[in-house]
């Protein structure tokens, strides 16, 4: 009886073993199928993402078809469109780092970085503005990110024309394009040839009238530190008395930070990382409170990823030469200023995105002996002045007529 009882137990054990082996085979087969499916899905997603990233939004040909960001029916309400005059007035701050567009009656309608991403082989435009800026240092071979405006002047005429057309058509109804009157801010030191290049680019967008005004006059300031230039001027009731434009700005600040960190820390970083450092811990005042930030980059010796700590005093040493050039420019302008102008009564007004760096107003005050002030929203000081100039558009003379 004992032996007869054991045999069924052995059969049950064999059956359970065979069953477990079958389940294991099915599970491994199912896992293999799932892995193959996941690999296929991953490949499909990569292809879709690659196609989506490299699709061109326009071509740089005479027959351009541009993507409209704002439809005509979206610009203002019905009564506003009916009461609006036949002319459509725009004010443009064509900066090295950003382009701002102000529409009369609507306010600031566009604020985008002045970047363009294009395919080097076909010439297709892949992205503009913030989308192109986010691609800096992250593009594959054959795709480049450029800035058509360098140091306040046009470096790439075709790309500047395309960028202006794209942004203007994105905010201006097509029916108003041939009736548009435009005011553009330019650095105080540009030449007539550089002015003509900007005018021709604007006229090819379909503008009816174009007026160029100097940035110091638009901002009504003393020192305007932009992305590519620093404009220093003394103004009175009738206009600009003396002015000077320096090839120093936020971009040169970033380049100085990149060179300093490579030389002192043996770390290679890009312009976007340098911009982040400048905003986070950047200062030009050696008396400022010390702050520290962790910076990631590539080791200059081994080429491997590396992280180092950078403090604000190191950034002050990196920017010291640039700040000294700005101080020398301010002193040079003050030496040329007529003695009847009482600058001490009003002080030095600082505008532009570069003026936001910590301690600049204090350094200028100590060095020059004249109180310096940072205006509210310094990035938009110039475009605010352009908005006021739009009210006098009918009295302003076309700059192209003046050049001729």
């Amino acid at each position: 009886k004992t032996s007869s009882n054991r045999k069924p137990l052995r059969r049950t054990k064999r059956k359970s073993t065979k069953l477990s082996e079958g389940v294991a085979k099915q599970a491994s087969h199912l896992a293999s199928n799932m892995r193959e499916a996941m690999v296929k899905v991953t490949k499909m997603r990569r292809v879709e993402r690659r196609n989506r990233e490299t699709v061109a939004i326009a071509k740089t040909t005479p027959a351009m078809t541009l993507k409209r960001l704002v439809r005509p029916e979206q610009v203002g309400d019905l009564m506003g469109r009916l009461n609006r005059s036949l002319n459509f007035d725009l004010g443009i701050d064509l900066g090295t780092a950003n382009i701002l567009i102000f529409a009369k009656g609507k306010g600031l309608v566009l604020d985008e970085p002045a970047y363009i991403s294009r395919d080097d082989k076909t010439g297709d435009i892949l992205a503009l503005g913030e989308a192109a800026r986010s691609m800096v240092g992250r593009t594959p071979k054959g795709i480049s990110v450029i800035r058509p405006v360098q140091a306040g002047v046009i470096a790439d005429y075709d790309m500047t024309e395309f960028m202006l057309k794209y942004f203007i058509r994105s905010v201006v109804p097509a029916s108003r394009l041939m009736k548009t009157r435009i005011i553009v801010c330019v650095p105080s030191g540009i030449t007539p040839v550089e002015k003509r290049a900007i005018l021709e680019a604007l006229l090819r967008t379909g503008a009816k009238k174009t007026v160029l005004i100097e940035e110091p006059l638009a901002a009504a300031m003393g020192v305007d530190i932009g992305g590519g230039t620093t404009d220093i001027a003394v103004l009175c009731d009738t206009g600009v008395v003396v002015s000077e434009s320096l090839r120093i700005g936020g971009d040169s600040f970033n380049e100085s930070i990149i060179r300093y960190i490579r030389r002192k820390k043996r770390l290679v970083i890009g312009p976007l990382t340098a911009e982040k450092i400048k905003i986070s811990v950047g200062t030009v005042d050696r008396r400022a409170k010390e702050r520290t930030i962790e910076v990631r980059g590539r080791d200059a010796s081994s080429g491997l990823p590396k992280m180092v700590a950078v403090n604000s005093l190191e950034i002050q040493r990196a920017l010291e030469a640039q700040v000294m050039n700005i101080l020398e420019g301010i002193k040079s302008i003050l030496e040329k200023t007529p003695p009847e102008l009482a600058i001490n009564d009003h002080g030095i007004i600082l505008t532009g995105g570069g003026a936001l760096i910590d301690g600049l107003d204090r350094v200028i005050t100590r060095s020059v002996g004249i109180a310096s002030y940072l205006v509210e929203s310094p990035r938009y000081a110039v475009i605010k002045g352009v908005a006021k100039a739009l009210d006098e558009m009918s009295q302003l003379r076309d700059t192209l007529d003046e050049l001729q």
Side-chain angles (χ1 to χ4, degrees):
K1 290 182 181 179
T2 305
S3 61
S4 61
N5 292 336
R6 288 178 181 175
K7 288 182 179 179
L9 291 174
R10 289 177 183 174
R11 292 194 190 101
T12 305
K13 191 173 183 180
R14 288 174 185 172
K15 289 181 180 180
S16 63
T17 304
K18 292 181 180 180
L19 182 62
S20 62
E21 291 177 354
V23 172
K25 289 181 179 180
Q26 291 181 359
S28 63
H29 182 68
L30 181 61
S32 176
N33 291 340
M34 290 179 65
R35 283 195 297 270
E36 292 177 359
M38 291 176 65
V39 170
K40 290 181 180 179
V41 170
T42 303
K43 289 182 178 180
M44 291 175 60
R45 288 179 177 175
R46 286 178 179 174
V47 172
E48 291 177 357
R49 186 166 59 252
R50 191 179 298 114
N51 294 335
R52 185 169 62 252
E53 290 176 353
T54 58
V55 62
I57 62 174
K59 294 181 179 293
T60 55
T61 61
M64 297 179 191
T65 56
L66 301 181
K67 180 181 177 182
R68 186 174 299 280
L69 301 179
V70 180
R71 295 191 299 273
E73 58 269 19
Q74 292 178 333
V75 183
D77 55 5
L78 178 60
M79 293 304 297
R81 295 198 302 272
L82 291 176
N83 295 333
R84 196 174 293 156
S85 62
L86 294 177
N87 294 319
F88 198 92
D89 295 340
L90 291 180
I92 300 178
D93 180 9
L94 186 60
T96 303
N98 297 277
I99 178 171
L100 308 176
I101 298 181
F102 183 95
K104 186 177 180 180
K106 288 192 62 62
L108 188 66
V109 293
L110 187 136
D111 181 3
E112 287 284 345
Y115 286 81
I116 294 181
S117 173
R118 69 177 177 184
D119 192 316
D120 295 334
K121 295 181 179 179
T122 63
D124 294 345
I125 305 299
L126 306 179
L128 283 91
E130 184 60 41
R133 183 181 180 275
S134 62
M135 298 170 65
V136 173
R138 305 170 183 173
T139 56
K141 186 177 180 180
I143 297 178
S144 58
V145 180
I146 64 173
R147 300 171 71 176
V149 181
Q150 295 288 339
V153 297
I154 294 178
D156 190 323
Y157 179 81
D158 294 332
M159 291 296 100
T160 302
E161 177 189 343
F162 178 83
M163 181 177 65
L164 287 172
K165 278 186 177 180
Y166 183 88
F167 286 140
I168 290 175
R169 292 187 182 183
S170 67
V171 298
V172 178
S175 59
R176 296 292 185 89
L177 196 57
M178 298 304 295
K179 305 170 186 177
T180 303
R181 302 184 299 179
I182 301 176
I183 295 180
V184 180
C185 290
V186 295
S188 58
I190 68 171
T191 63
V193 176
E194 293 167 343
K195 286 184 179 180
R196 187 177 293 275
I198 296 176
L199 286 173
E200 290 179 356
L202 290 169
L203 290 174
R204 294 189 64 175
T205 63
K208 175 184 175 182
K209 178 181 178 181
T210 55
V211 178
L212 302 184
I213 63 175
E214 296 181 357
E215 290 181 355
L217 185 61
M221 57 76 198
V223 181
D224 177 27
I225 305 176
T229 61
T230 295
D231 290 297
I232 307 170
V234 176
L235 292 86
C236 65
D237 296 337
T238 56
V240 179
V241 180
V242 288
S243 65
E244 184 179 359
S245 183
L246 306 177
R247 304 300 185 186
I248 301 173
D251 292 342
S252 59
F253 289 171
N254 295 341
E255 293 171 2
S256 298
I257 294 173
I258 292 173
R259 290 194 300 267
Y260 181 87
I261 292 180
R262 183 184 179 93
R263 186 174 68 253
K264 296 295 184 179
K265 302 289 186 178
R266 305 298 299 167
L267 187 72
V268 181
I269 61 173
L272 295 183
T273 304
E275 180 78 14
K276 180 181 178 182
I277 295 172
K278 182 179 67 177
I279 294 174
S280 301
V281 299
T283 183
V284 296
D285 186 4
R286 65 183 64 183
R287 303 178 186 177
K289 183 179 179 181
E290 185 175 348
R291 293 170 293 170
T292 305
I293 185 175
E294 298 289 337
V295 180
R296 291 181 173 86
R298 189 180 74 246
D299 190 284
S301 302
S302 64
L304 299 176
K306 180 182 176 182
M307 184 172 67
V308 299
V310 179
N311 61 54
S312 56
L313 296 182
E314 291 175 316
I315 303 303
Q316 183 273 327
R317 288 192 288 268
L319 302 179
E320 191 171 10
Q322 303 288 343
V323 176
M324 290 301 297
N325 291 334
I326 294 176
L327 294 176
E328 291 298 326
I330 295 174
K331 292 177 182 178
S332 175
I333 288 295
L334 293 176
E335 291 174 357
K336 302 174 185 177
T337 303
E340 288 79 7
L341 293 177
I343 299 179
N344 289 328
D345 296 341
H346 303 284
I348 299 176
I349 308 301
L350 305 178
T351 64
L356 289 170
I357 191 165
D358 178 66
L360 183 60
D361 53 343
R362 300 191 297 271
V363 170
I364 294 177
T365 301
R366 290 199 300 262
S367 177
V368 181
I370 301 175
S372 301
Y373 307 95
L374 185 65
V375 300
E376 183 181 358
S377 303
R379 281 191 63 237
Y380 303 103
V382 173
I383 200 66
K384 288 179 181 178
V386 174
K388 294 182 179 180
L390 289 175
D391 297 333
E392 308 294 333
M393 187 66 174
S394 301
Q395 283 72 38
L396 297 177
R397 186 181 177 185
D398 197 319
T399 305
L400 188 60
D401 297 337
E402 295 180 358
L403 292 177
Q404 291 176 350

